[in-house]
């Protein structure tokens, strides 16, 4: 999990440490103190290579296994992912940023190969192998945070950030899906299954705080290298989650206001919510509702600053 974070750190720090030896840094610090506040809008897209799964229950033995949305449910693995970013830089060293990404996918599976059960709002839904199933997985990712430039030089900046990633996840299954009728016997969880054509959906909002480092290095007039790495892991009661967000881009200035950027982004988030069922006044762990999502891919955008 830490390899992408380490890789980005290796991208950020060699060039920035090299730049830190620049003997003109004091002059630039004086100049930067006169720099006006700036607003930056960045609109573009990723060509994302996505991997997503959720942990479900095997109805035959009660164990759990990962149900892969791309391999098992035919969701597209490669797809265009739009994004929008806004940054407000003020008082020479302070930055507030907001960005949004969206990936919505739907696919039809003519014949499911694996039996599985998933628990949503204390109801156990049963999907039998062989049925036709329509699956939707919609994800919107909102990132809000604050950054502080704690080192500035003639052609480089090093800063630290703190913020919040919030994922809005909607999972939807449509087909001949059964509902388990709980048994009073702890050895099994379904006494009977009622199967009818139905639509089963669930929406999860998963906020995860993050901390990170970022760097900016102008290696040639009008050509700027930027990188950031953000990470966090959290476990609280029945919820645990982690995220990694690593990005490296090169910005080419066209005019003082307009720029083109191209780069590479790695993003992974894992949210796990423990599912329990009350049986004979006992809390029985029947499954974990787990969404793991990651994408790796190139990105390109148009940027406007004023």
């Amino acid at each position: 999990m830490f390899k992408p974070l380490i890789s980005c750190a290796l991208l950020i720090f060699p060039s920035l440490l090299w730049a830190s030896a620049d003997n003109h840094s004091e002059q630039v610090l004086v100049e930067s103190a006169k720099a006006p506040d700036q607003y930056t809008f960045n609109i573009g897209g990723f060509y994302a290579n996505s991997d997503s799964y959720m942990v479900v229950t095997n109805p035959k033995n009660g164990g759990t296994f990962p149900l892969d949305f791309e391999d098992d449910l035919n969701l597209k693995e490669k797809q265009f992912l739009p994004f929008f970013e806004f940054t407000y830089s003020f008082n020479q060293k302070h930055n507030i940023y907001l960005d949004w990404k969206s990936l919505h996918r739907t696919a039809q599976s003519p014949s499911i190969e694996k039996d599985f059960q998933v628990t949503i709002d204390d109801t156990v839904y049963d999907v039998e192998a062989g049925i036709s199933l329509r699956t939707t997985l919609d994800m919107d990712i909102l990132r809000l945070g604050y950054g502080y430039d704690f080192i500035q030089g003639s052609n480089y900046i090093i800063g630290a950030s703190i913020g919040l990633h919030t994922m809005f996840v909607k999972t939807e299954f449509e087909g001949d899906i059964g509902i388990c009728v709980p048994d009073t016997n702890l050895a099994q969880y379904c006494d009977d299954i009622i199967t009818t054509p139905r639509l089963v959906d669930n929406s999860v909002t998963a906020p995860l705080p993050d901390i990170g480092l970022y760097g900016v290095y102008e290696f040639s007039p009008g050509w700027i290298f930027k990188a950031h790495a953000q990470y966090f892991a959290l476990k609280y009661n029945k919820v645990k989650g982690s995220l990694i967000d690593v990005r490296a881009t090169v910005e080419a200035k066209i005019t003082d206001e307009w720029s083109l950027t191209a780069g590479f982004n790695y993003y992974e988030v894992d949210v796990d919510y423990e599912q329990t069922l009350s049986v004979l006044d006992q809390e029985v762990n029947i499954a974990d509702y787990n969404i793991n999502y990651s994408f790796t891919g190139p990105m390109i955008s148009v940027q406007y600053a004023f």
Side-chain angles (χ1 to χ4, degrees), residues 28 64 135 140 144 155 189 250 257 275 290 304:
V28 172
T64 61
T135 305
D140 293 277
L144 174 65
N155 58 349
Y189 305 122
V250 173
E257 294 83 18
Q275 297 288 332
N290 181 294
Y304 178 70

Side-chain angles (χ1 to χ4, degrees), residues 57-63 115 117 129:
T57 303
N58 186 329
K60 296 180 180 178
N61 58 26
D115 297 327
Q117 291 177 346

Side-chain angles (χ1 to χ4, degrees), residues 59 116-118 124-128 131 176-180 193 195:
F116 69 89
Q117 291 177 346
V118 60
V124 180
Y125 295 95
D126 184 87
V127 179
E128 295 185 354
I131 73 164
D176 291 334
I177 301 172
I179 291 182
C180 292
I193 295 177
T195 301

Side-chain angles (χ1 to χ4, degrees), residues 234-241 272-274:
L234 173 72
K235 185 175 182 180
Y236 179 74
N237 290 338
K238 298 179 181 180
V239 180
K240 63 180 179 179
D272 189 2
Y273 177 73
E274 181 182 334

